[in-house]
Amino acid sequence: MRSPLDRIRHALSFEIIALLLIVPLGAAVFHFPLHAIGAVGIVSATLATLWNLIYNWGFDAILQRWRGSTLKTPMLRVLHAVLFEGGLLIVLMPFIAWYLQVSLWQAFVMDVAFALFYMVYAFGFNWAYDRLFPLKEWQEDRAAQH
């Protein structure tokens, strides 16, 4: 399992890099001012960071109990990303509608677009993070699988 400090580094780096990508992209695609998408992005990133810490700890705890390891296969990474974004979608949609003064449908469409971006981003980011900061137990698990 990852340490609390490692989980904080993971969550913060995930959100900071994502904001640098999504704010200009979201402003261009949805035709809102940069500051409006930036505000939505910052609030969303804050909520997502809290969700990230809770969700990843829970997912890893379940995985550790179920499989005896937190090593994720490609399919488990897909499941991980889909479940994470689904939970976040439920939390963020009402905020987006309220802040941008759009209908719940418009907020849903925006939120789904952001979620699709984040699912692809989360898959790639988490895979890269795990390669940059691997756990020792994974090397043992890989050796045992061969």
Side-chain angles (χ1 to χ4, degrees), residues 71-85:
L71 182 64
K72 295 170 187 75
T73 64
M75 284 307 297
L76 277 173
R77 289 186 180 286
V78 170
L79 178 66
H80 178 267
V82 169
L83 291 176
F84 177 85
E85 292 303 329

Side-chain angles (χ1 to χ4, degrees), residues 57-132:
W57 174 82
F59 194 94
D60 282 355
I62 290 167
L63 200 56
Q64 181 73 37
R65 177 172 282 167
W66 177 47
R67 300 187 70 212
S69 170
T70 58
L71 182 64
K72 295 170 187 75
T73 64
M75 284 307 297
L76 277 173
R77 289 186 180 286
V78 170
L79 178 66
H80 178 267
V82 169
L83 291 176
F84 177 85
E85 292 303 329
L88 198 54
L89 180 83
I90 292 167
V91 173
L92 294 179
M93 190 176 65
F95 167 72
I96 292 170
W98 169 78
Y99 187 80
L100 295 177
Q101 297 296 297
V102 297
S103 70
L104 282 174
W105 176 250
Q106 289 169 307
F108 174 76
V109 169
M110 291 177 78
D111 205 357
V112 167
F114 287 133
L116 289 173
F117 165 83
Y118 273 98
M119 273 198 310
V120 172
Y121 171 72
F123 183 87
F125 177 90
N126 286 317
W127 200 332
Y129 188 89
D130 287 348
R131 291 176 82 61
L132 286 171

